[in-house]
Amino acid sequence: MVFWEGYVSDEAMGTFAPIVVYWLYAGFYQLLPPLDNYRLHTKKEEVKNSVPLASVVKGVLLQQLVQATVAQALFLLTSKANASGIVIQPSIAVQIGQIVVAMLVMDTWQYFVHRYMHHNKFLYRHVHSQHHKLVVPYAIGALYNHPLEGLLLDTFGGALSFLVSGMTARTAVIFFCFAVIKTVDDHCGLWLPGNIFHIIFQNNTAYHDIHHQLQGLKYNYSQPFFPIWDKLLGTYMPYNLVKRPEGGFEARAMKD
């Protein structure tokens, strides 16, 4: 039993809930006061970003339109409803297992596609560099990508995670909303005390901030959950979180 049962279909929730959650969570970060004592970059450093907020919002909305279209098609093609139109939901244990599988599949897909986009000069220059125009990451820009990257990296990665894990649309609501929240948090640019993602996940805001720095461009590709592939394939760059005298923190790469 879920709170939307009887009001909205699982397929509609799986399509639109992640979009709503994205803007609610990213909007929450956007509306926070400066919080200079917890920032990974100073406000002055934001001038390094070469794309205005309005363009970022348009880019994210375009990607979400594509994702919603693909999600609707995917749910229709893989419907598990019986003759009565009812989908039998697996046990909680099975759903948890499916979510873990989906996390690993998404991490694997995104690592190798993301890494290839950095090593292929054409793809980096014409596609992936758009995301790196946000040298100082912020929450709303988490899904700011070139449309082709959005399709290959996020949309296809999400579809593959859904298909391989065998989850139902109802489980997908939970998984994709969680993935969105994690992705937004990784780009929020803040190191807030008690942030559960910083406590549980080694791949977090500071970890991904290293990747947005010049010396970390070819390291810390893993996203959005675990740093497994970085550690296995030699692209892991550890860091120190150093407190700045003027307030806030700096994620400082530790080179070998």
Side-chain angles (χ1 to χ4, degrees):
M1 186 73 177
V2 289
F3 71 85
W4 63 83
E5 192 168 1
Y7 300 97
V8 183
S9 70
D10 293 340
E11 291 78 11
M13 280 294 289
T15 301
F16 298 108
I19 297 173
V20 174
V21 167
Y22 182 95
W23 290 106
L24 286 175
Y25 196 52
F28 162 76
Y29 273 119
Q30 189 71 16
L31 294 173
L32 287 175
L35 299 177
D36 292 332
N37 288 331
Y38 303 104
R39 294 175 60 91
L40 293 179
H41 295 270
T42 65
K43 289 289 287 184
K44 291 179 180 179
E45 288 181 282
E46 289 182 354
V47 298
K48 297 177 182 177
N49 291 341
S50 58
V51 57
L53 178 60
S55 297
V56 171
V57 170
K58 289 177 185 176
V60 172
L61 288 172
L62 175 61
Q63 178 166 329
Q64 289 175 331
L65 175 62
V66 174
Q67 287 179 337
T69 304
V70 171
Q72 274 290 289
L74 198 63
F75 289 142
L76 285 173
L77 292 172
T78 61
S79 175
K80 297 177 174 65
N82 59 24
S84 302
I86 298 171
V87 177
I88 305 300
Q89 301 297 329
S91 67
I92 297 297
V94 169
Q95 291 183 64
I96 292 172
Q98 290 172 332
I99 288 172
V100 171
V101 169
M103 291 168 77
L104 294 173
V105 171
M106 181 174 282
D107 269 6
T108 300
W109 176 267
Q110 294 216 358
Y111 175 86
F112 287 101
V113 175
H114 187 192
R115 181 173 178 172
Y116 184 69
M117 285 188 172
H118 272 270
H119 285 265
N120 182 295
K121 292 181 179 179
F122 178 85
L123 285 177
Y124 184 80
R125 183 179 301 114
H126 297 286
V127 180
H128 187 57
S129 63
Q130 180 168 323
H131 181 69
H132 281 277
K133 288 180 180 178
L134 298 180
V135 178
V136 178
Y138 56 89
I140 284 178
L143 289 183
Y144 176 67
N145 299 307
H146 186 282
L148 179 61
E149 177 177 353
L151 182 66
L152 292 176
L153 194 67
D154 298 314
T155 306
F156 282 3
L160 191 64
S161 302
F162 173 77
L163 292 170
V164 172
S165 67
M167 63 176 59
T168 64
R170 182 168 297 183
T171 306
V173 175
I174 300 166
F175 171 66
F176 287 120
C177 285
F178 177 67
V180 159
I181 291 171
K182 177 67 171 60
T183 301
V184 169
D185 206 86
D186 287 350
H187 290 81
C188 73
L190 293 170
W191 192 262
L192 295 173
N195 185 322
I196 191 69
F197 294 114
H198 297 166
I199 296 169
I200 295 177
F201 291 95
Q202 188 177 6
N203 185 346
N204 52 41
T205 311
Y207 185 93
H208 192 66
D209 187 76
I210 292 295
H211 177 69
H212 275 259
Q213 297 175 17
L214 184 61
Q215 70 268 34
L217 273 178
K218 293 191 175 182
Y219 296 90
N220 293 11
Y221 297 115
S222 293
Q223 55 185 41
F225 302 111
F226 310 111
I228 297 170
W229 289 111
D230 276 324
K231 290 190 172 183
L232 286 175
L233 298 179
T235 54
Y236 171 71
M237 180 175 281
Y239 62 90
N240 280 324
L241 202 60
V242 180
K243 194 162 181 62
R244 290 194 303 265
E246 67 273 25
F249 298 91
E250 177 189 350
R252 188 173 296 171
M254 296 168 57
K255 295 183 179 180
D256 295 332

